């Protein structure tokens, strides 16, 4: 059981370049999430997918797009990278929308992105 | 508007003593509060949670206390061990039918010294 996996682990981009961050989970979870972590800011939600076929904006969606490719995979795309998007990106998953009540989120190891 | 606040960026305690990490929130609609622990170059891992209708939850060395009237919660670690050195994030959740989004605090770096 790999849990939540993310690729790549590190990436350096030039301003204006595009890239896609990949995330996959093998826990049969319904919900998936993308966060970014910046110094002094904690983790902030970019986009989430409550279930396969749905996506919604989080707190900081500008400059990003997402695709829920199937139940396992949730990708984050930067169409035209900016230095303000330099951050550590975490993907997470949880059992999610099929029941009301608390369910914890499981996080991947992160992707460290630098935009020059 | 930061709904979840951790006002202490760092805390240093001696091995064997108690560590107390604090968290304040402003949104009275939160249903659950969670603590996550994060080591460098790893993702956060879940530690312990508490429902908004409880005032205490205990799991081994970790206890979380919730004071709803003060909108304050705290995580107690007793006894503290060197392996507890990490960044601790407080997070809060409103339960909805579609994906339970977490709102995180800014984290507290705990250092447990020998």
């Amino acid at each position: 059981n790999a849990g939540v996996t993310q690729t790549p682990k590190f990436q350096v981009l030039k301003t204006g370049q595009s890239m896609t961050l990949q995330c996959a989970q093998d826990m049969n979870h319904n919900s998936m999430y993308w966060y970014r972590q910046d110094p002094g800011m904690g983790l902030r939600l970019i986009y989430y997918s409550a279930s396969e076929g749905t996506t919604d904006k989080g707190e900081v969606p500008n400059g990003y797009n997402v695709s829920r490719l199937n139940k396992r995979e949730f990708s984050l795309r930067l169409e035209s990278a900016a230095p303000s998007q330099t951050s550590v990106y975490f993907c997470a998953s949880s059992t999610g929308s099929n029941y009301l009540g608390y369910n914890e989120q499981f996080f991947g190891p992160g992707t460290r992105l630098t935009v020059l | 508007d930061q709904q979840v606040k951790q006002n202490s960026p760092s805390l240093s305690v001696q091995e064997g003593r108690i560590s107390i990490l604090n968290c304040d929130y402003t949104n009275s609609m939160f249903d659950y509060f969670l603590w996550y622990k994060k080591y460098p170059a790893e993702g956060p891992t879940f530690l312990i949670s508490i429902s908004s209708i409880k005032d205490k939850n205990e799991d081994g060395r970790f206890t979380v206390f919730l004071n709803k009237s003060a909108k304050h919660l705290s995580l107690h670690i007793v006894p503290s061990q060197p392996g507890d050195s990490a960044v601790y994030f407080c997070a809060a959740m409103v339960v909805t039918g579609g994906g339970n989004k977490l709102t995180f605090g800014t984290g507290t770096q705990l250092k447990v010294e020998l």
Side-chain angles (χ1 to χ4, degrees):
Chain A
N1 237 5
V4 180
T5 56
Q6 292 183 237
T7 55
K9 285 188 167 39
F10 301 94
Q11 184 71 50
V12 179
L13 293 177
K14 294 181 180 177
T15 296
Q17 287 185 316
S18 62
M19 80 160 296
T20 300
L21 283 66
Q22 306 286 354
C23 174
Q25 52 90 10
D26 62 2
M27 296 175 282
N28 200 33
H29 284 168
N30 291 304
S31 298
M32 298 185 74
Y33 312 81
W34 277 104
Y35 293 88
R36 60 179 288 175
Q37 185 193 7
D38 302 295
M41 300 291 289
L43 282 83
R44 292 180 293 168
L45 183 65
I46 304 170
Y47 269 95
Y48 69 103
S49 172
S51 59
E52 188 179 354
T54 70
T55 60
D56 282 289
K57 295 178 181 178
E59 183 185 353
V60 288
N62 291 345
Y64 305 95
N65 285 301
V66 290
S67 295
R68 183 75 183 266
L69 304 169
N70 47 56
K71 192 171 185 179
R72 288 187 65 247
E73 298 172 286
F74 188 37
S75 63
L76 178 72
R77 182 159 178 85
L78 288 71
E79 289 291 350
S80 178
S84 61
Q85 295 178 304
T86 293
S87 189
V88 181
Y89 291 85
F90 290 101
C91 177
S93 71
S94 68
T95 53
S97 62
N98 285 345
Y99 30 136
L100 294 177
Y102 150 75
N103 51 89
E104 69 181 270
Q105 292 181 17
F106 296 81
F107 284 80
T111 293
R112 186 174 294 275
L113 174 67
T114 301
V115 182
L116 302 175
Chain B
D1 173 32
Q2 195 156 11
Q3 297 186 63
V4 179
K5 300 176 187 177
Q6 294 176 259
N7 292 318
S8 299
S10 64
L11 175 68
S12 183
V13 298
Q14 283 192 316
E15 182 181 11
R17 306 294 285 267
I18 185 170
S19 296
I20 301 175
L21 295 94
N22 294 303
C23 179
D24 298 293
Y25 63 95
T26 57
N27 185 351
S28 57
M29 300 301 290
F30 287 132
D31 296 300
Y32 287 92
F33 301 90
L34 297 83
W35 285 93
Y36 278 80
K37 176 179 179 180
K38 185 183 179 304
Y39 293 118
E42 294 183 10
T45 55
F46 170 74
L47 195 56
I48 191 169
S49 67
I50 188 166
S51 165
S52 62
I53 62 172
K54 305 281 189 183
D55 54 20
K56 178 182 175 181
N57 187 27
E58 192 171 354
D59 184 1
R61 296 186 297 114
F62 303 92
T63 303
V64 57
F65 296 92
L66 175 63
N67 181 334
K68 281 193 75 173
S69 61
K71 293 191 175 68
H72 176 83
L73 63 154
S74 60
L75 174 68
H76 292 212
I77 307 173
V78 184
S80 300
Q81 299 173 353
D84 295 330
S85 296
V87 177
Y88 289 79
F89 289 100
C90 173
M93 172 191 288
V94 175
V95 173
T96 67
N100 296 328
K101 296 176 286 184
L102 289 172
T103 301
F104 282 86
T106 52
T108 297
Q109 172 79 59
L110 173 66
K111 184 176 180 182
V112 180
E113 298 172 318
L114 299 172

